[in-house]
Amino acid sequence: MKTPLALVACALILGACATAQPTIYRPQASASDVGFAQYKMEDGRYRVTFRGGPGAPVGQVTDYALLRAAELALADGYAWFRVADRLTQSTGGGGGPTFSVGGGSGSYGRRSSVGLGVGTSFNLGPKPALSTTLEVVFGKGPRPPGEAYDAQSVVNTIGKGMGRI
């Protein structure tokens, strides 16, 4: 009896691992795929989205969105960019482990009974996938004070961390 149960558990764990997409810096092949997408709203303004694989850390997803924004700024001849709006969303995945306790009683003529049950469950599926969407505004000349990013520095720093440079 233990062998079939162990085989089912292993199959569930391997199935959960097989469906997870790794977080890779690349263009999205579809809207639900891992990677980046951009939409040019007007000259010097883009909406950039990066969607990570299940379990990707929020920092990695945000860095990859910033990297794409910096690449677009440089490709369009701009020196810096600032984030005008930011949205991070979580999709998929389930809850973590749960624990429950239940009880009941019954009476059957002269006899009665009391029952107590304890249960636990664990989510073996993939963790939630995060996506970050940035609305970015590009600029030329000296970088303004505040939360503006130097596009070349972002490419050098994040790109180097990814082994791209």
Side-chain angles (χ1 to χ4, degrees), residues 108-122:
Y108 308 100
R110 294 184 182 179
R111 301 196 184 259
S112 63
S113 64
V114 176
L116 178 66
V118 177
T120 184
S121 68
F122 296 91

Side-chain angles (χ1 to χ4, degrees), residues 1-144:
M1 182 66 178
K2 289 182 181 180
T3 304
L5 187 58
L7 289 174
V8 169
C10 287
L12 287 172
I13 291 170
L14 289 175
C17 294
T19 60
Q21 295 177 299
T23 299
I24 300 171
Y25 186 78
R26 65 176 185 211
Q28 285 182 321
S30 69
S32 63
D33 192 22
V34 169
F36 60 80
Q38 68 264 346
Y39 173 74
K40 185 174 183 175
M41 300 169 72
E42 61 185 13
D43 286 342
R45 182 180 291 261
Y46 278 83
R47 182 175 298 128
V48 177
T49 300
F50 189 87
R51 185 176 193 280
V58 69
Q60 180 184 30
V61 173
T62 302
D63 282 353
Y64 286 4
L66 288 170
L67 175 60
R68 186 60 188 155
E71 289 174 342
L72 290 170
L74 292 173
D76 286 357
Y78 293 95
W80 55 266
F81 67 95
R82 67 176 174 81
V83 177
D85 196 18
R86 177 185 314 242
L87 173 68
T88 299
Q89 295 178 305
S90 174
T91 57
T98 61
F99 179 77
S100 60
V101 178
S105 65
S107 177
Y108 308 100
R110 294 184 182 179
R111 301 196 184 259
S112 63
S113 64
V114 176
L116 178 66
V118 177
T120 184
S121 68
F122 296 91
N123 178 19
L124 297 176
K127 293 181 179 180
L130 297 175
S131 66
T132 295
T133 300
L134 308 174
E135 184 177 325
V136 292
V137 179
F138 301 154
K140 295 182 180 181
R143 182 174 62 158

